């Protein structure tokens, strides 16, 4: 079995944690004369997040992009695309990575049908929720699939039907899109997975010689044992240093293990099978076979990844599994790194994909 830290897997594809937060992407040129989208910054209460042991915010920032016609055509309803951000950033930084609203406006100007685009924030004290269900972090899976969707349907002129909802995410958000997508075809009708991280089982001390991995694991255990609170541990583990704790909080919660309320997958540097099994159980390549019937319900599924992105190997494996089961899906390896093309992909591939595959009229299936 391979032993990886989530942070090591993600960071292997990104120059540095700082680069991840301030991504240098190839931005499409501004199209002259585009009609402007409007931007609303709101908060959505997460009933699914209430009582989380980590103390993460329950009222979450959400950024909503309304299409140019929304203010004028008062009786018109719109499909909605929910776009999930990656690890170490929140919704606001995600807007800079994909350069919205510019790329949304550009997509519409080039022929994509108008839709609402929603960016929910799922950053936690350890820089990422993994879009998972955990007593420690809260149930971010249901927060996205139920709380955010229900709020949008109640407060905006959406088409409240699964066939008119799309789900997309990049990196950790790609993991979230694959995980939530597999489990909630009753909520979403089209799925786009961008450079997904964390598809394979991950635990332990990271890549490299076994003795070095053991030393790293023991150092992490020592830091965890000394931490007085989640905030204390996070302060000692900036950037991707918190990734191992984000995954532990998401995938190995333990309400009887204060003050951090999670279990590490090692003890004295040695992998603990019962905890490793919990990590493995949250790996899409391990559980995808259980959700083939769900995936076949989608109107369309697409996935892409850069040819210089270390995550391309696992993405190709997921594509192969779907093909083997006869799940129709589009897969593209494009020229680029983990982050270099994300804005271009969003304007010129993601929006056209949803324009083609979502339902834009009430009542369609």
């Amino acid at each position: 079995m391979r032993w990886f830290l989530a942070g090591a897997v993600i960071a292997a594809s990104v120059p540095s944690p700082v680069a991840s937060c301030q991504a240098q992407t190839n931005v499409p040129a501004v199209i002259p004369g585009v009609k402007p989208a409007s931007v609303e910054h709101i908060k959505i209460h997460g009933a699914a997040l209430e009582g989380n042991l980590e103390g993460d915010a329950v009222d979450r920032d959400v950024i909503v992009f309304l299409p140019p016609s929304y203010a004028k055509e008062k009786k018109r309803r719109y499909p909605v695309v929910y776009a999930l951000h990656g690890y170490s950033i929140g919704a606001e930084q995600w807007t800079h990575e994909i350069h919205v609203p510019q790329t949304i406006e550009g997509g519409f100007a080039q022929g994509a049908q108008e839709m609402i685009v929603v960016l929910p924030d799922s950053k936690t004290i350890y820089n990422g929720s993994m879009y998972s269900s955990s007593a420690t972090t809260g149930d971010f899976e249901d927060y996205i699939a139920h709380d955010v969707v229900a709020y949008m349907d109640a407060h905006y002129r959406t088409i409240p039907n699964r066939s008119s909802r799309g789900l997309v995410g990049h990196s950790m958000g790609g993991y979230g899109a694959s995980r939530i997508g597999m489990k909630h075809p009753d909520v979403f009708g089209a799925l786009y997975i961008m450079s997904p991280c964390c598809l394979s089982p991950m635990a332990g001390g990271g890549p490299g010689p076994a003795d070095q991995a053991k030393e790293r694991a023991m150092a992490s255990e020592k830091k965890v044992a000394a931490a007085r609170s989640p905030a204390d541990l996070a302060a000692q583990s900036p950037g991707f240093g918190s990734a191992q704790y984000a995954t532990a909080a998401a995938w190995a919660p333990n309400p009887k293990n204060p003050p951090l309320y999670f279990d590490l997958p090692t003890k004295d540097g040695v992998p603990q099978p019962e905890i490793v099994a919990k990590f493995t159980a949250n790996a899409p390549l391990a559980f995808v076979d259980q959700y083939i019937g769900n995936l076949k319900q989608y109107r369309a599924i697409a996935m892409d990844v850069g040819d210089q992105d270390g995550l391309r190997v696992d993405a190709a494996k997921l594509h192969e599994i779907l093909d083997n089961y006869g799940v129709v899906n589009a897969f593209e390896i494009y020229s680029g790194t983990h982050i270099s093309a994300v804005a271009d992909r969003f304007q010129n591939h993601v929006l056209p994909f949803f324009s083609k595959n979502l339902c834009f009229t009430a009542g369609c299936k």
Side-chain angles (χ1 to χ4, degrees):
M1 180 178 287
R2 298 185 299 165
W3 306 101
F4 290 108
L5 290 175
V9 173
I10 304 172
S13 306
V14 199
S16 71
V18 174
S20 172
C21 294
Q22 299 175 344
Q24 300 300 310
T25 60
N26 301 323
V27 184
V30 175
I31 298 174
V34 297
K35 296 178 180 178
S38 58
V39 184
E40 295 190 354
H41 294 257
I42 63 174
K43 284 189 180 291
I44 295 181
H45 179 76
L49 307 178
E50 292 176 354
N52 75 82
L53 301 173
E54 204 165 75
D56 285 309
V58 174
D59 295 311
R60 312 289 307 186
D61 291 331
V62 176
I63 305 175
V64 179
F65 296 87
L66 300 173
S69 66
Y70 190 90
K72 295 181 179 179
E73 300 184 29
K74 300 293 186 179
K75 295 184 178 181
R76 183 175 173 182
R77 291 186 169 270
Y78 299 81
V80 184
V81 170
Y82 296 87
L84 308 182
H85 64 77
Y87 180 79
S88 85
I89 65 172
E92 182 63 35
Q93 291 163 302
W94 179 217
T95 68
H96 302 303
E97 281 199 2
I98 55 177
H99 288 265
V100 288
Q102 177 189 327
T103 53
I104 294 174
E105 294 163 351
F108 295 158
Q110 294 180 145
Q113 299 185 72
E114 289 191 357
M115 62 195 85
I116 298 170
V117 179
V118 179
L119 276 57
D121 192 295
S122 298
K123 190 175 184 180
T124 63
I125 197 163
Y126 301 126
N127 293 325
S129 68
M130 305 309 298
Y131 298 100
S132 298
S133 177
S134 163
T136 302
T137 61
D139 191 342
F140 276 89
E141 183 180 307
D142 270 11
Y143 173 67
I144 298 297
H146 295 137
D147 295 343
V148 175
V149 169
Y151 183 95
M152 289 300 302
D153 286 345
H155 293 82
Y156 291 87
R157 297 197 312 275
T158 68
I159 302 175
N161 188 299
R162 63 172 295 273
S163 61
S164 298
R165 298 192 196 104
L167 182 65
V168 59
H170 176 260
S171 196
M172 182 187 77
Y175 168 85
S178 61
R179 177 191 179 105
I180 295 171
M182 288 181 198
K183 296 183 177 184
H184 295 281
D186 57 319
V187 178
F188 304 101
L191 185 62
Y192 200 118
I193 302 168
M194 305 172 74
S195 307
C197 84
C198 319
L199 297 182
S200 287
M202 297 180 301
D211 58 341
Q212 293 181 15
K214 184 174 182 179
E215 288 179 6
R216 287 194 297 269
M218 292 177 68
S220 180
E221 292 170 31
K222 184 177 180 180
K223 184 187 291 187
V224 165
R228 298 184 299 274
S229 66
D232 181 30
L233 181 61
Q236 298 179 55
S237 313
F240 281 98
S242 284
Q244 59 188 308
Y245 310 126
T247 53
W251 300 336
N254 185 348
K256 298 297 184 180
N257 190 18
L260 305 180
Y261 301 103
F262 64 71
D263 293 324
L264 289 175
T266 62
K267 183 177 182 181
D268 299 326
V270 178
Q272 300 299 291
E274 68 277 13
I275 307 303
V276 170
K278 295 183 179 183
F279 277 65
T280 300
N282 284 277
L285 288 179
F287 64 66
V288 59
D289 304 83
Q290 303 172 47
Y291 296 103
I292 297 303
N294 285 358
L295 288 166
K296 286 184 176 181
Q297 296 179 42
Y298 279 91
R299 296 165 65 93
I301 299 172
M303 179 163 50
D304 64 23
V305 65
D307 60 0
Q308 300 167 58
D309 189 341
L311 301 177
R312 70 187 184 282
V313 176
D314 280 355
K317 289 179 182 178
L318 180 57
H319 164 64
E320 182 179 6
I321 290 172
L322 297 185
D323 271 0
N324 289 343
Y325 277 108
V327 177
V328 178
N329 69 107
F331 179 60
E332 181 181 356
I333 298 178
Y334 57 83
S335 177
T337 66
H338 187 60
I339 56 176
S340 64
V342 65
D344 171 76
R345 301 300 298 185
F346 199 81
Q347 173 177 300
N348 297 317
H349 298 270
V350 173
L351 290 179
F353 168 83
F354 287 120
S355 176
K356 179 181 178 181
N357 293 298
L358 290 182
C359 176
F360 283 77
T361 58
C364 66
K365 298 180 179 180

